Amino acid sequence: MFAIDALNNLLPRLRGQGKKVVAVAAAADAHVLESAARARELGIADFALFGDVGKIKDICAGLGVDHGLFELVQADTDACAASLAVSHVARGKASAIMKGLCETSTIIKAALDKEHGIRASRRLSHMAMFALPAEFYHKPLYVTDAAVNIAPDFELMKEIIENAVNAVKSLGLAEPKVALIAAKEKSDPKMPVTLEFDELTKLNEAGWLPGCSVRGPLALDCAVSLEAAKTKGLDGPVIGDADIIFCPDIEAGNVLYKSLTMFTKAAAGGVILGAKAPVILTSRSDSAGNKLLSIALGALIKGE
């Protein structure tokens, strides 16, 4: 339900920009083809499918989906499918890439290929959008990075934040509020990340990354609960009203991601940012609503 609500909120913006084309790598998968057909039906995107064309046609037949709705391109291996999908974007024939039945690393390798890829000036990072029940949070919440960067250094932190801020602005959020999450609100040499977060906050105050607010270190409760923050004497635009939760490492990001999906039943969509086009990530275990939400994000977010 929450995924459909979030999707409905994005649909007017999607339809207002004109239909985009998504290039799917290793598309011979029922979950992928079903979500692509539904996304096309809703007017979210058109699709170019790369993979075993015979299998794609057979799966479509089993689903009752007309394979003629899609552009089909033969690729004998996952690596070939990823390379062809990336090339489709590089040549301006698609605006986003979608992971089909292949490893994320296969797509990333193709995207970062120095000769044929879609490498941009910044490094890649993952961002998830969560549509939470109203009793948990009052608006969409974005979390970065739960899947790509393991232990970012200071410069990589800056790039991950820049990726996320640019992405949510593509979704229509004018001045994103970024909370840098740690275990406490004060800088502590025993927790080096708190010193880095304090420096990022000062950089933002000095003019780095205009058009957004960055604040940290913050404990999670102070980022999303005004009541919790007031008990600690905190105020400011990010306090209790964060749009983007920046996690200090992949462990924190992954735990937060799975906590939100497991305990709150939040809907989630995921994309990889930082290239010339977004990479849409879906899992076989994702609900149909979550898959559609990921596709919608990829269709809306601009590349670097």
Side-chain angles (χ1 to χ4, degrees):
M1 179 180 70
F2 306 116
I4 300 304
D5 289 343
L7 186 62
N8 287 338
N9 289 334
L10 294 175
L11 281 177
R13 192 172 185 86
L14 282 160
R15 289 166 179 164
Q17 70 172 5
K19 194 179 287 188
K20 299 291 185 70
V21 176
V22 174
V24 185
D29 175 77
H31 298 272
V32 170
L33 293 171
E34 190 172 16
S35 63
R38 181 58 177 153
R40 191 183 185 282
E41 180 184 341
L42 289 171
I44 295 173
D46 285 324
F47 292 83
L49 309 180
F50 299 85
D52 186 321
V53 170
K55 286 184 179 179
I56 292 172
K57 289 181 177 180
D58 288 343
I59 295 169
C60 282
L63 294 171
V65 171
D66 179 7
H67 65 76
L69 298 174
F70 309 116
E71 177 184 355
L72 304 181
V73 180
Q74 178 66 32
D76 295 333
T77 65
D78 289 352
C80 179
S83 179
L84 289 172
V86 167
S87 177
H88 212 59
V89 172
R91 290 183 288 132
K93 294 187 175 183
S95 58
I97 301 162
M98 180 174 171
K99 173 190 171 184
L101 193 61
C102 64
E103 297 293 332
T104 301
S105 59
T106 302
I107 290 195
I108 291 177
K109 182 178 180 180
L112 294 179
D113 182 87
K114 291 182 179 180
E115 186 174 354
H116 303 292
I118 51 172
R119 182 189 297 262
S121 58
R122 284 200 288 272
R123 284 172 283 185
L124 303 186
S125 60
H126 176 265
M127 184 186 78
M129 173 188 176
F130 291 92
L132 293 131
E135 63 267 28
F136 288 103
Y137 205 52
H138 57 283
K139 60 181 177 179
L141 190 64
Y142 301 88
V143 173
T144 191
D145 178 330
V148 174
N149 294 290
I150 297 172
D153 60 19
F154 186 78
E155 290 303 317
L156 181 51
M157 287 180 185
K158 290 173 64 179
E159 294 186 55
I160 295 170
I161 294 168
E162 289 167 1
N163 285 346
V165 167
N166 288 344
V168 299
K169 285 187 175 183
S170 295
L171 300 174
L173 192 59
E175 295 194 9
K177 302 170 183 178
V178 184
L180 311 176
I181 299 304
K184 60 192 303 183
E185 290 78 29
K186 294 182 180 180
S187 298
D188 185 343
K190 295 180 181 179
M191 298 181 183
V193 75
T194 63
L195 305 180
E196 294 176 309
F197 285 178
D198 184 59
E199 181 62 24
L200 287 168
T201 301
K202 291 175 181 176
L203 280 176
N204 181 245
E205 292 170 348
W208 165 65
L209 207 55
C212 73
S213 298
V214 177
R215 176 76 178 269
L218 287 174
L220 180 62
D221 57 347
C222 294
V224 299
S225 168
L226 190 57
E227 182 179 357
K230 283 182 177 179
T231 64
K232 297 181 181 181
L234 300 176
D235 60 16
V238 179
I239 301 303
D241 196 41
D243 297 299
I244 299 170
I245 300 295
F246 176 84
C247 298
D249 54 37
I250 200 169
E251 286 87 358
N254 192 269
V255 169
L256 178 57
Y257 183 107
K258 290 178 180 174
S259 296
L260 290 172
T261 55
M262 295 298 293
F263 296 131
T264 73
K265 304 303 179 184
V271 288
I272 293 177
L273 309 169
K276 294 178 181 178
V279 179
I280 300 163
L281 291 183
T282 63
S283 168
R284 288 183 66 92
S285 62
D286 280 344
S287 68
N290 282 3
K291 286 185 172 69
L292 289 172
L293 187 55
S294 292
I295 293 170
L297 290 177
L300 271 175
I301 291 171
K302 298 176 182 177
E304 298 302 326

